[in-house]
Amino acid sequence: MKEAGSTLLSSLNPEQSEAVRYTDGPMLVLAGAGSGKTRVLTYKYAYLVLEKGLSPSQILAVTFTNKAARQMRDRVMKLLQTETYRMDVSTFHAYGLKFLSRYDKEVKAVLKRQVKVVFDRGDTKTVIRKILKEMSLDPQKVDPRWVLEEISRCKRDVSPPTFEFRKLDAPLGQVFEKYEKLLKEQHAVDFDDLLVLPLKALSTDPELRKNERSRYKWILVDEYQDVNRTQYHLLKMLAGPSGKVMVVGDPDQSIYGWRGADMSMIMNFEKDYPNAKVFLLERNYRSTETILTAANAVIRNNRNRREKTLWTERDKGSPVRVVLMGNEHEEAEFISQEIRNLRNLGYKYKDMAVLYRINAMSRLYEESFLRSGIPYRIVRGTAFYERREVKDTLAFMRLATNPLDTASLERVGNIPTRGLGSKSLSRLAEWIRDVAGNEIEEIWRRLEDSGAGLKGKAGKGAMELGKHMRRIWTMREDVPGIVEYILKDMGYEGEYFFESGEKQQERLENIRELLSVADPAAGLETMLAEIALMTDMDLESSEFADQVSLMSLHGGKGLEFPVVFITGLEESVFPHYKCMDDPDQLEEERRLCYVGMTRAEERLYLTATRNRVLFGSVLKSGFSRFLWEIPEECKETEDRGEEDSFDVGRRFNRRYWSW
């Protein structure tokens, strides 16, 4: 064991090695961008096993994306030279899902909840729309997205010991009550419940809390700067008095305050754990010296941060290119032309990324790329099964495993057409609730025999639906077989018969892609739970395509590219206009700029325009303050605009500034 541990440490730099070797108590690793934080986490995991004799099942490692969790798991298995599957390496939400499954009886007894299905944002939006309709509330005036965000914020605000939801004003309070009632009736949970329910169960049941704490000797947390209050309380509950917890993060990369992330958690870690030891990782392995100097200069303007300075042994590299243009069309054409130039220098399309603050900005770059014949992909963090054909296929599967899933019944009960209109589906849902005490297979058998008492074509359609659902349920250990059954035997592939051959093929490939984004060998119910937490960022196939990546600055976090273009560096665009009058939000915008800049390995372009048409309005807000925060010696400024040239290194030329 000792020899294995020593061999492991030999590949780390001194700071990384020190963090990996320390096991005396709680620890905070402040890891700058590109400093090897994932390396430290994975080596820490392997060190605890190889050197300290822990079983992989005694270590809980949590991060924020399925992709990061999968990569961490793969790296650890490689270091351990084993294919053990006893590791708890997952996202916070996936951990919550496993917890609810592991303690399903306790959760039912303590919280009076059963969990059979996870509703994604699309499902919850459907539920909210249904409630608004029942309450005669106009969705044009009461936006379902706003309702969901308020409900989510309300759930994220709960904390021990009361767990009481704060009171919401009418009619939001009534919508929330109906929403929770519908989720419980359908044995469903939303993403926030995957954190709130485990926390509540652990706080309420001392025996359950003792059992869960005894499972883990160490807890490793990635991206700690992004935890929200619920995740923070959950981690403290799991760590217990021993506090054998290692958190890794970077306050300078905290960019998700708008969705509940609380940077104060990492800033106050030593207050929560007074005997904690702090480790600093400042050596960057990603970017050139010039890019790091520029990024350090920008982030240094934030007051609420912990001081650190990234450095590298890489060469100085090219200056940061700041290109100022007259309008957004010139900007898009410049980027297209520069991509062609970079291709001539040997860069591949997939080596380049275009980052923007507002998603709506991507349209012009897409149009320009199409005209120039530049292949591209738009990377968004939307749920994988937002695609119609994938969502339909999953709805068939979910309904088969949970007859009370009314959302899935309403979605696919009449696909392909079988005479079940909205009224018939409503009566069918009532019939299922009446017989819900029976086993799942028995429910579908009864429906196959009786048609739920519906008459005529609707009755035959209900019987046919019962037959198909029972068949899927009996095949639940054969997920590939289920996919083929839905396509062939149920006739779902016929839904796209009249589409072009290329479009039809794309839909069928998307459906079969389900078998690659999750483990079908785990069985249908487990696979469905995993897929509910997947996003486009978790798909492997797109990574290998030679395409320029278009994405928001938020979507770029965790990625790196040899060449990065950051566009729209104008006041009110970036920094965003909503953040201009709030010092804390303005600092988060600067952190977002820092994150974007440190995605670049070799070349960094920053573009801005004097005039930009966005959302139908012409913006003339002046160039972004982030541009003049970059030292002159780090940048090369080119002004392609028609007006008087503007030195972005000098703040006093206030003609172009909005403050």
Side-chain angles (χ1 to χ4, degrees):
M1 291 289 186
K2 295 278 184 184
E3 185 178 348
S6 300
T7 304
L8 201 69
L9 298 177
S10 65
S11 62
L12 303 176
N13 69 35
E15 294 78 21
Q16 293 171 336
S17 178
E18 185 184 7
V20 169
R21 284 186 288 108
Y22 184 78
T23 58
D24 292 341
M27 52 189 295
L28 166 64
V29 180
L30 293 171
S35 64
K37 69 176 178 60
T38 304
R39 185 178 179 85
V40 170
L41 271 170
T42 53
Y43 275 67
K44 181 76 166 189
Y45 197 121
Y47 183 82
L48 290 171
V49 174
L50 296 174
E51 185 75 0
K52 296 300 180 179
L54 269 62
S55 165
S57 61
Q58 293 177 307
I59 305 169
L60 172 64
V62 287
T63 185
F64 279 83
T65 68
N66 295 287
K67 181 179 177 182
R70 186 169 59 247
Q71 289 176 342
M72 190 187 303
R73 192 183 302 114
D74 291 343
R75 290 184 187 183
V76 171
M77 286 195 294
K78 187 175 180 180
L79 290 172
L80 297 179
Q81 296 182 341
T82 179
E83 292 192 0
T84 176
Y85 291 97
R86 294 175 297 160
M87 295 187 294
D88 272 344
V89 181
S90 67
T91 64
F92 279 94
H93 292 91
Y95 165 78
L97 186 60
K98 291 176 186 175
F99 177 95
L100 295 174
S101 175
R102 184 159 59 236
Y103 298 108
D104 58 330
K105 293 180 181 178
E106 291 84 350
V107 169
K108 185 177 180 181
V110 175
L111 304 181
K112 313 302 180 191
R113 292 288 291 266
Q114 280 188 286
V115 181
K116 298 291 184 183
V117 62
V118 180
F119 277 4
D120 76 341
R121 190 164 179 83
D123 298 319
T124 53
K125 199 181 294 183
T126 298
V127 172
I128 291 297
R129 285 199 181 105
K130 182 177 181 180
I131 293 171
L132 295 179
K133 185 176 181 181
E134 289 176 355
M135 296 178 64
S136 300
L137 294 172
D138 186 354
Q140 298 296 321
K141 296 180 179 178
V142 184
D143 187 349
R145 292 172 299 180
W146 171 77
V147 173
L148 279 173
E149 182 52 42
E150 289 301 306
I151 289 175
S152 178
R153 186 177 290 114
C154 188
K155 289 189 176 186
R156 293 197 305 259
D157 287 345
V158 301
S159 59
T162 62
F163 293 99
E164 292 181 359
F165 294 127
R166 57 183 168 82
K167 298 292 184 183
L168 297 175
D169 295 335
L172 198 55
Q174 294 92 319
V175 174
F176 189 12
E177 288 178 14
K178 290 178 179 292
Y179 174 78
E180 285 291 280
K181 184 172 181 289
L182 272 172
L183 288 186
K184 290 178 182 178
E185 287 176 351
Q186 298 184 39
H187 297 168
V189 293
D190 60 22
F191 282 2
D192 293 302
D193 291 329
L194 293 176
L195 302 176
V196 172
L197 295 182
L199 176 59
K200 190 172 183 179
L202 286 165
S203 300
T204 308
D205 189 331
E207 189 64 26
L208 187 153
R209 181 167 64 249
K210 180 181 177 182
N211 289 341
E212 189 66 359
R213 281 179 178 174
S214 68
R215 291 177 63 89
Y216 305 114
K217 300 297 183 184
W218 267 90
I219 299 174
L220 312 179
V221 188
D222 192 13
E223 305 286 8
Y224 192 66
Q225 77 280 348
D226 292 334
V227 297
N228 62 31
R229 191 162 293 275
T230 313
Q231 291 160 341
Y232 162 78
H233 284 300
L234 184 59
L235 287 169
K236 284 203 72 177
M237 189 70 66
L238 291 171
S242 66
K244 285 295 184 76
V245 57
M246 168 184 172
V247 302
V248 182
D250 181 7
D252 288 338
Q253 296 187 73
S254 178
I255 59 173
Y256 297 116
W258 52 276
R259 70 179 187 195
D262 191 339
M263 194 178 75
S264 68
M265 304 307 174
I266 192 170
M267 298 292 284
N268 297 319
F269 184 80
E270 294 109 308
K271 291 182 180 179
D272 291 325
Y273 301 94
N275 60 331
K277 187 168 182 178
V278 180
F279 299 83
L280 201 59
L281 302 183
E282 296 177 294
R283 180 177 177 178
N284 178 283
Y285 292 91
R286 177 187 300 154
S287 306
T288 63
E289 180 186 333
T290 299
I291 291 173
L292 290 183
T293 303
N296 285 331
V298 170
I299 198 62
R300 207 169 282 128
N301 287 277
N302 274 2
R303 294 184 177 181
N304 187 24
R305 64 185 297 263
R306 301 184 69 143
E307 184 58 39
K308 69 177 185 311
T309 302
L310 296 183
W311 62 276
T312 183
E313 290 185 346
R314 291 192 62 179
D315 57 22
K316 190 172 183 179
S318 304
V320 175
R321 283 194 63 184
V322 177
V323 185
L324 312 174
M325 283 155 284
N327 57 57
E328 70 276 13
H329 297 284
E330 293 176 12
E331 179 186 58
E333 289 307 310
F334 163 76
I335 293 172
S336 294
Q337 181 60 53
E338 198 62 25
I339 288 173
R340 289 193 292 268
N341 294 340
L342 290 165
R343 285 275 292 170
N344 293 332
L345 294 176
Y347 288 98
K348 297 178 180 179
Y349 288 121
K350 66 180 180 181
D351 293 334
M352 296 176 264
V354 180
L355 309 181
Y356 35 79
R357 179 61 180 86
I358 300 170
N359 279 317
M361 294 169 63
S362 70
R363 180 182 58 83
L364 274 174
Y365 312 133
E366 289 183 73
E367 292 175 354
S368 180
F369 288 178
L370 286 170
R371 287 194 300 270
S372 302
I374 296 173
Y376 68 90
R377 64 174 182 139
I378 298 181
V379 181
R380 293 195 175 101
T382 55
F384 169 64
Y385 60 146
E386 283 303 304
R387 298 163 177 84
R388 174 191 162 190
E389 62 275 13
V390 176
K391 202 165 177 66
D392 284 351
T393 304
L394 290 172
F396 285 124
M397 296 176 175
R398 284 175 24 173
L399 181 59
T401 60
N402 179 21
L404 289 170
D405 186 352
T406 307
S408 292
L409 176 64
E410 292 175 347
R411 181 177 184 89
V412 296
N414 197 42
I415 298 176
T417 304
R418 53 175 64 92
L420 291 170
S422 58
K423 290 184 179 179
S424 297
L425 287 173
S426 180
R427 289 174 60 188
L428 178 53
E430 290 180 16
W431 181 89
I432 290 174
R433 282 195 291 271
D434 290 339
V435 299
N438 292 280
E439 295 293 327
I440 291 175
E441 186 172 359
E442 179 61 20
I443 292 173
W444 295 129
R445 189 187 302 278
R446 286 192 182 191
L447 181 60
E448 183 181 359
D449 293 340
S450 69
L454 297 172
K455 304 298 182 183
K457 191 175 180 181
K460 291 181 181 179
M463 294 168 69
E464 181 185 348
L465 179 65
K467 179 188 74 172
H468 290 314
M469 293 300 101
R470 186 173 69 83
R471 181 62 178 147
I472 292 175
W473 173 250
T474 59
M475 295 172 66
R476 60 188 179 278
E477 300 303 320
D478 179 17
V479 178
I482 290 173
V483 170
E484 292 306 312
Y485 182 84
I486 291 171
L487 289 172
K488 306 293 185 183
D489 296 73
M490 292 184 65
Y492 182 68
E493 66 180 355
E495 287 292 295
Y496 307 106
F497 180 79
F498 295 104
E499 292 188 348
S500 68
E502 183 178 339
K503 185 66 176 176
Q504 187 183 76
Q505 185 63 28
E506 180 186 346
R507 290 190 186 275
L508 297 178
E509 288 174 356
N510 285 339
I511 291 171
R512 292 191 172 94
E513 181 73 6
L514 287 169
L515 304 177
S516 66
V517 298
D519 182 11
L524 181 59
E525 292 174 288
T526 301
M527 193 195 87
L528 287 173
E530 290 177 355
I531 287 178
L533 305 178
M534 294 286 182
T535 71
D536 282 346
M537 297 296 289
D538 297 307
L539 298 178
E540 295 285 357
S541 57
S542 61
E543 292 183 3
F544 303 102
D546 191 20
Q547 301 169 313
V548 177
S549 294
L550 291 173
M551 67 186 77
S552 70
L553 280 147
H554 287 96
K557 188 170 182 294
L559 304 177
E560 55 189 44
F561 302 89
V563 180
V564 169
F565 296 84
I566 302 179
T567 69
L569 276 145
E570 301 115 37
E571 294 285 294
S572 296
V573 176
F574 189 33
H576 196 277
Y577 72 92
K578 290 183 178 179
C579 308
M580 302 289 281
D581 298 323
D582 186 321
D584 290 337
Q585 290 187 35
L586 193 55
E587 290 211 347
E588 181 158 316
E589 289 290 287
R590 186 173 282 108
R591 292 194 293 270
L592 186 58
C593 184
Y594 173 80
V595 166
M597 294 174 72
T598 53
R599 298 312 93 197
E601 297 172 346
E602 300 170 10
R603 295 174 183 266
L604 175 62
Y605 294 79
L606 307 176
T607 65
T609 67
R610 287 184 168 81
N611 306 297
R612 182 180 301 275
V613 177
L614 196 60
F615 305 123
S617 299
V618 179
L619 303 180
K620 296 184 178 183
S621 302
F623 300 123
S624 171
R625 66 191 71 195
F626 302 149
L627 293 177
W628 58 257
E629 291 174 356
I630 299 173
E632 284 297 311
E633 62 270 19
C634 295
K635 67 191 176 191
E636 179 183 275
T637 303
E638 179 181 357
D639 193 336
R640 297 187 170 201
E642 295 180 358
E643 298 180 31
D644 296 338
S645 63
F646 169 62
D647 181 358
V648 295
R650 298 184 180 278
R651 183 175 180 177
F652 60 76
N653 192 341
R654 299 174 66 91
R655 171 187 174 194
Y656 293 100
W657 300 87
S658 62
W659 73 84

